[in-house]
Amino acid sequence: MRLLALAALSSLAVLGASSAPAQSLSARGGTTGFGAELGAGLTPFLGVRGSYAAGSYDYDTTKSDIRYDAKLKPSVGLLTLDVHPFAGSFRLSAGLGLNNTKVDGRADTTSGTITINGQTYNTSDVGTVEGSVRFERTAPYIGIGWGAAAAPGRGLYFTSDLGVIFSRATGSVSGTCAPSLNPLVCAQLQSDLQAEAQKFKQEVEKVKYYPVVTIGVGYRF
């Protein structure tokens, strides 16, 4: 982990130095969303890159017997130091991931029944049930990929990355009772929501990293 931190600090220092020439610019998309990347070659074997991508995707998911209409909003920046062992496009990367990715979901409480902590309620008794997932914002990144060689040159190139940000996830669940619900039943519903939230949190916290899979095209100048 110390080596990853040193790599990230090196990337930051080089990107901030006025003597580091911009060598490549690319557009890319993948699990981090869609965005752009700027790179600089230091030697034929070393380079640095900075990128940012974001997006928004709707999907359905079921957690602890509750079906959520969810929205994933990736928002990921990467600062990496790249080693090109063969002085070509193949690279080994390490650095920092800046991960502000969010997942928000709302349970269907408009018809039928809903099971909360093993207890079945009519959806007319439930106001809202919402779940959210957040990631540790700053964490080490390692990966491999292909892209612009660190050596001087011009022209179009293909870029891709496969790696992980060691960014832990945390989750929460909150909910309300329908305004007309009996106070005693509402108290039981709130107790079940708290138990549901704890199970959801434990399940989400099993996720210890955020996958990075991206492809794109760029130009060397």
Side-chain angles (χ1 to χ4, degrees):
M1 301 296 279
R2 290 182 179 179
L3 289 175
L4 294 175
L6 287 173
L9 289 174
S10 298
S11 298
L12 285 168
V14 172
L15 286 172
S18 60
S19 60
Q23 182 190 355
S24 60
L25 179 65
S26 67
R28 48 195 282 139
T31 58
T32 58
F34 294 91
E37 176 185 272
L38 181 66
L42 306 179
T43 75
F45 300 96
L46 289 176
V48 292
R49 289 178 296 140
S51 67
Y52 175 74
S56 181
Y57 310 96
D58 295 325
Y59 69 102
D60 297 332
T61 185
T62 300
K63 296 293 183 183
S64 302
D65 297 324
I66 299 179
R67 178 184 173 277
Y68 292 93
D69 296 323
K71 184 179 290 291
L72 168 64
K73 295 181 178 180
S75 177
V76 179
L78 290 173
L79 297 171
T80 63
L81 176 67
D82 301 322
V83 177
H84 296 257
F86 311 114
S89 60
F90 176 73
R91 62 193 174 215
L92 305 171
S93 305
L96 278 181
L98 310 174
N99 189 3
N100 196 32
T101 297
K102 301 175 182 179
V103 183
D104 293 303
R106 179 181 285 256
D108 180 6
T109 58
T110 59
S111 62
T113 61
I114 183 172
T115 301
I116 302 174
N117 191 37
Q119 301 297 318
T120 301
Y121 293 89
N122 293 319
T123 54
S124 60
D125 294 335
V126 181
T128 61
V129 177
E130 297 177 329
S132 68
V133 177
R134 299 293 185 267
F135 289 85
E136 184 181 3
R137 289 195 176 187
T138 303
Y141 168 82
I142 60 171
I144 63 173
W146 291 261
R154 294 180 177 232
L156 291 172
Y157 66 92
F158 167 80
T159 181
S160 65
D161 280 287
L162 176 64
V164 293
I165 303 172
F166 293 91
S167 180
R168 297 181 179 181
T170 59
S172 63
V173 170
S174 61
T176 62
C177 303
S180 59
L181 189 62
N182 179 289
L184 291 178
V185 180
C186 180
Q188 180 61 50
L189 174 59
Q190 290 295 332
S191 176
D192 286 329
L193 281 168
Q194 291 177 6
E196 187 71 36
Q198 185 61 30
K199 290 192 294 184
F200 183 83
K201 182 175 182 292
Q202 291 174 349
E203 185 174 351
V204 169
E205 287 182 351
K206 294 177 182 178
V207 178
K208 305 296 185 182
Y209 61 88
Y210 187 90
V212 174
V213 181
T214 66
I215 60 173
V217 63
Y219 184 79
R220 300 175 65 196
F221 52 90

